[in-house]
Amino acid sequence: MKILHLDTNHTILLDQLNALGFQNDEDYTSTKEEIESKIATYDGIIIRSRFAIDKTFLDKAKSLKFIGRVGAGLENIDTQYASAQGIQLFNAPEGNRNAVGEHTLGMILSLFNKLNQGNQSVRDGQWLRETHRGIELDGKTVGIIGYGNMGRAFAKKLRGFNVEVICYDILEDIEDSNATQVELQELFEKTDVLSLHTPETPKTIGMINKAFITKFKKPFWLINTARGKSVVTKDLVEALTQKKILGAGLDVLEYEKSSFENLFTSKKEMPDAFAKLLKMDNVILSPHVAGWTVESKEKLAQTIVDKIKTKFC
């Protein structure tokens, strides 16, 4: 079987697939159109998020048996059409769920203890202890929306903190020893910290908007390590300004390109809402790296290898 690798990944992916007898070709620079001109001869492709795998692409991939997505989400792939064509889809949420859980917890603790502001203050020659007095996670209620691989991994990280963990998911009976499943109304009433762990779907795009935010009984903290388009940035900024949201940790942003590789090519493109967000000291931003650790790079690749091996060897 011939596999075309479209993004660089951990070397164990190529090494182990070679050892299993697959032919592995690499093309990290050609345009999508150039890839389409030769994809008909390949049985499999490995991709992160370089470009969308749409119907046009799949129609040209006459021999394609599988797509390996080295990551969790599949929103850049026309999954319905691929499945209809009998193409197996492999993704790897198991590979970076621990990293996402740790990053999410880190964002909360950084926000609660004003670590960014305190660090900068000391570097500026100030020693403002009262200004940087923090709050404790102890005794809070953490609400999780989306209780799959990522949500469960985060809930597991909360063991040892004296917190109540509740979760909401469109699936039923998904609670475990780390979180209690609730309806949205209870989530709105009890949540002190809201953490998103949902995929990008038509239902989750724009989910956290003004109407949604106003349903919460008390001000809360928002953490998003899932998908940027789930949060309407201008509504978030308004809620932060009005203190309906006390602070936010955002690893992902509404404005990310589909490749997740960049935001804007110039400052002129920057929306007003994002410019305001950048000036808020109760907001922590990171460049879509919650699942991006040294360890997860290897685990993501290994997960894809294992799934290919199970199906085709």
Side-chain angles (χ1 to χ4, degrees), residues 9 29 33 37 57 67 76 83 99 131 140 154 158 163 174 203 212 227-228 231 249 252 257 260 264 267 288 296 305:
N9 290 291
T29 59
E33 290 71 23
S37 70
F57 185 95
I67 300 170
N76 279 353
S83 297
T131 299
K140 305 293 191 295
F154 171 52
L158 292 169
V163 294
I174 47 81
K203 289 185 178 180
F212 190 90
R227 287 294 182 259
V231 177
V252 291
K257 309 302 183 187
F260 306 138
F264 314 110
K267 287 188 176 181
H288 203 137
S296 72
V305 171

Side-chain angles (χ1 to χ4, degrees), residues 7-9 48-49 69-71 95-100 103 251 259-261 287-298 300:
D7 288 297
T8 57
N9 290 291
R48 289 202 314 267
S49 303
R69 202 261 146 162
V70 187
N96 62 357
R97 60 190 174 189
N98 183 73
V100 170
H103 194 97
D251 180 56
S259 65
F260 306 138
E261 293 299 326
H288 203 137
V289 293
W292 205 255
T293 63
V294 171
E295 294 84 358
S296 72
K297 183 177 183 180
E298 180 173 346
L300 285 166

Side-chain angles (χ1 to χ4, degrees), residues 13-126:
L13 210 159
L14 281 167
D15 293 344
Q16 292 189 24
L17 289 175
N18 280 325
L20 289 168
F22 294 94
Q23 176 184 324
N24 293 278
D25 297 338
E26 302 166 75
D27 189 335
Y28 307 138
T29 59
S30 294
T31 65
K32 182 180 179 182
E33 290 71 23
E34 290 170 336
I35 298 295
E36 287 176 348
S37 70
K38 64 180 181 181
I39 195 61
T41 64
Y42 286 94
D43 301 287
I45 58 174
I46 305 291
I47 191 169
R48 289 202 314 267
S49 303
R50 182 169 152 197
F51 52 70
I53 305 297
D54 53 20
K55 183 179 183 297
T56 300
F57 185 95
L58 293 170
D59 281 339
K60 296 179 185 298
K62 302 295 185 182
S63 302
L64 203 62
K65 297 177 178 63
F66 72 86
I67 300 170
R69 202 261 146 162
V70 187
L74 293 169
E75 64 267 26
N76 279 353
I77 301 171
D78 188 335
T79 56
Q80 187 173 1
Y81 191 68
S83 297
Q85 300 301 108
I87 299 169
Q88 189 80 33
L89 301 173
F90 302 125
N91 63 333
E94 306 92 335
N96 62 357
R97 60 190 174 189
N98 183 73
V100 170
E102 291 190 6
H103 194 97
T104 305
L105 181 57
M107 281 189 146
I108 294 170
L109 296 176
S110 293
L111 284 167
F112 275 30
N113 292 284
K114 302 181 181 178
L115 295 184
N116 278 11
Q117 300 100 301
N119 172 68
Q120 189 58 53
S121 177
V122 174
R123 290 174 184 274
D124 291 340
Q126 299 175 316

Side-chain angles (χ1 to χ4, degrees), residues 136-142 161-164 192 218:
E136 297 178 16
L137 186 54
D138 187 281
K140 305 293 191 295
T141 297
V142 179
F161 292 89
N162 181 32
V163 294
E164 179 182 8
D192 296 299
K218 51 187 173 180

Side-chain angles (χ1 to χ4, degrees), residues 4 18 45 92 163 181 201 246 253 282 288:
L4 180 61
N18 280 325
I45 58 174
V163 294
Q181 188 170 10
T201 70
L246 300 172
L253 291 166
N282 58 342
H288 203 137

Side-chain angles (χ1 to χ4, degrees), residues 72 93-94 96-102 104-105 142-159 165-169 174-180 195-199 225-226:
E94 306 92 335
N96 62 357
R97 60 190 174 189
N98 183 73
V100 170
E102 291 190 6
T104 305
L105 181 57
V142 179
I144 298 172
I145 298 183
Y147 205 63
N149 278 283
M150 306 305 169
R152 289 173 183 274
F154 171 52
K156 186 177 180 181
K157 298 301 175 191
L158 292 169
R159 288 178 179 176
V165 184
I166 57 178
C167 63
Y168 172 80
D169 196 287
I174 47 81
E175 68 179 28
D176 57 16
S177 60
N178 297 319
T180 301
S195 187
L196 305 183
H197 297 280
T198 48
T225 55

Side-chain angles (χ1 to χ4, degrees), residues 214-280:
T214 56
K215 293 179 181 178
F216 284 80
K217 183 178 180 180
K218 51 187 173 180
F220 64 96
W221 302 78
L222 175 67
I223 310 295
N224 187 13
T225 55
R227 287 294 182 259
K229 289 182 174 57
S230 293
V231 177
V232 179
T233 309
K234 69 178 181 60
D235 292 351
L236 169 61
V237 169
E238 181 180 334
L240 285 163
T241 302
Q242 297 174 351
K243 299 190 182 333
K244 292 179 180 178
I245 293 180
L246 300 172
L250 307 174
D251 180 56
V252 291
L253 291 166
E254 177 183 5
Y255 314 108
E256 286 180 80
K257 309 302 183 187
S258 60
S259 65
F260 306 138
E261 293 299 326
N262 50 47
L263 287 174
F264 314 110
T265 56
S266 70
K267 287 188 176 181
K268 292 181 180 179
E269 294 181 28
M270 187 181 295
D272 290 341
F274 185 56
K276 292 177 181 177
L277 196 73
L278 292 178
K279 297 177 182 178
M280 294 181 166

